[in-house]
């Protein structure tokens, strides 16, 4: 349901905000994380860059969701930011 989708959406957003607020200073965002992509290649990226990517990428998906809801006839779509 739309209500369940929005509840999950808000929960995920709250978790990201809580993570960012928990950082003691900006040095935490400079910490480099190492991960592997689907091809098993290793990458290293600062936490701040990962978060920036998450924020930008999520904007793309929010736009997709709004477009889908409108296509389904929804007219009362709450703010997505």
């Amino acid at each position: 349901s739309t209500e369940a989708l929005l509840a999950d959406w808000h929960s995920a957003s709250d978790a990201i905000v809580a993570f960012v607020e928990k950082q003691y200073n900006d040095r935490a965002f400079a910490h480099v994380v190492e991960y592997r992509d689907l091809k098993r290649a290793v990458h290293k990226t600062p936490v701040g860059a990962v978060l920036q990517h998450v924020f930008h990428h999520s904007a793309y998906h929010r736009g997709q969701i709004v477009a889908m809801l409108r296509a389904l006839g929804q007219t009362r779509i709450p703010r997505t930011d």
Side-chain angles (χ1 to χ4, degrees):
S1 71
T2 303
E3 291 80 19
L5 171 68
L6 292 173
D8 286 347
W9 192 338
H10 285 259
S11 177
S13 295
D14 291 344
I16 292 171
V17 169
F19 172 82
V20 171
E21 288 177 342
K22 225 167 69 171
Q23 307 313 308
Y24 296 107
N25 57 48
D26 288 345
R27 285 184 293 157
F29 300 111
H31 175 76
V32 175
V33 293
E34 183 177 304
Y35 58 94
R36 294 179 184 270
D37 62 21
L38 294 175
K39 295 179 181 176
R40 307 294 295 153
V42 176
H43 301 276
K44 295 179 181 181
T45 308
V47 170
V50 172
L51 288 173
Q52 183 178 33
H53 174 77
V54 168
F55 298 146
H56 289 168
H57 192 77
S58 68
Y60 172 74
H61 288 299
R62 287 194 306 270
Q64 287 181 315
I65 291 169
V66 168
M68 289 177 198
L69 289 171
R70 286 185 178 142
L72 292 171
Q74 294 286 328
T75 57
R76 298 182 63 207
I77 301 170
R79 290 183 46 208
T80 59
D81 291 334

